[in-house]
Amino acid sequence: MADLLIDETDREILELLREDARRTLGDIGARVTLSTAAVKRRIDRMQENGVITGYTVQIDHTKLGWGIEAFTELRFTGTTKVGEIVRTTTRMPEAQAVFTIAGDPDALVWLRVRDMAHLQRTIDEIRRHHQVTGTKTLMVLDSWTRGQQWPHPDA
C-alpha cells in the first residue's frame, strides 16, 4: 500500500532522512531539486499517511557500557498466547526487540548487555518465567543493518 502513496522523489527524500533525520528541508530540497516548501509538504503528507512513523537517534551502546549483543531463541508451553510471549521480555531493559515467529522456536529476543555475567543473569531471568520451556542463545560477533529501507521495485 505504501508504494501507492509515494513516488520516486518521496523515496529519495526518505533515503536522505534515513541517512540523517536532522537534515534540513533546504538541504533535502537541493538534493531532490524541490523547494523547501515542496519538501515540507511531501514529508507532512508521508507523516499523515503513516509512511513516516517517527524519527530516532542512533546510539553507540558500546560507549555506554552495553556492548554485547545476543539473540535468544525462546520456546514456550503450547498454551502460551502470543501476547504473553511478547510480554515475557519487553519489560527487561536488556531486550531490544522481540520477534514472535512461526515454527520452532516460538520467539527470538535481541538482547544487549554489559558483560557475560549480565547476559547470564538476563537468561536466568527469562528462564524463570513459568511458560518458558527452553532457550538457546547466539552471540553477535559483528553486525550490519540496512535500516528501515523499503523493498526496491526492481528487487
Side-chain angles (χ1 to χ4, degrees):
M1 182 170 173
D3 284 343
L4 302 174
L5 303 174
I6 63 174
D7 61 17
E8 191 56 39
T9 301
D10 292 333
R11 289 179 188 280
E12 290 177 44
I13 291 169
L14 289 171
E15 180 62 23
L16 291 167
L17 288 171
R18 191 191 62 77
E19 290 171 1
D20 182 1
R22 295 181 63 185
R23 195 181 297 270
T24 67
L25 297 177
D27 178 58
I28 294 170
R31 292 172 184 259
V32 299
T33 63
L34 288 176
S35 70
T36 300
V39 170
K40 181 171 180 356
R41 282 192 302 274
R42 284 174 175 262
I43 290 173
D44 288 347
R45 179 179 41 80
M46 287 189 283
Q47 287 174 328
E48 290 167 10
N49 291 335
V51 173
I52 296 175
T53 60
Y55 298 86
T56 187
V57 62
Q58 294 180 358
I59 299 169
D60 184 341
H61 293 279
T62 302
K63 291 182 179 175
L64 298 176
W66 289 62
I68 295 177
E69 293 178 272
F71 286 89
T72 297
E73 297 176 354
L74 301 181
R75 287 165 184 76
F76 288 80
T77 60
T79 59
T80 307
K81 295 184 179 184
V82 173
E84 183 63 24
I85 291 172
V86 172
R87 283 189 296 278
T88 299
T89 57
T90 54
R91 292 184 185 98
M92 301 174 69
E94 296 85 357
Q96 304 301 298
V98 179
F99 306 92
T100 54
I101 52 182
D104 183 35
D106 299 302
L108 186 63
V109 180
W110 171 27
L111 298 170
R112 187 179 301 278
V113 296
R114 292 182 296 275
D115 53 36
M116 295 307 290
H118 186 192
L119 178 60
Q120 183 176 339
R121 288 189 308 274
T122 302
I123 299 301
D124 287 346
E125 182 180 342
I126 291 170
R127 287 179 176 168
R128 279 193 291 273
H129 190 278
H130 67 281
Q131 291 180 307
V132 173
T133 62
T135 64
K136 176 182 174 184
T137 301
L138 308 162
M139 299 297 300
V140 175
L141 300 177
D142 196 6
S143 63
W144 173 86
T145 304
R146 180 174 308 282
Q148 294 185 2
Q149 289 182 334
W150 50 91
H152 192 276
D154 297 333

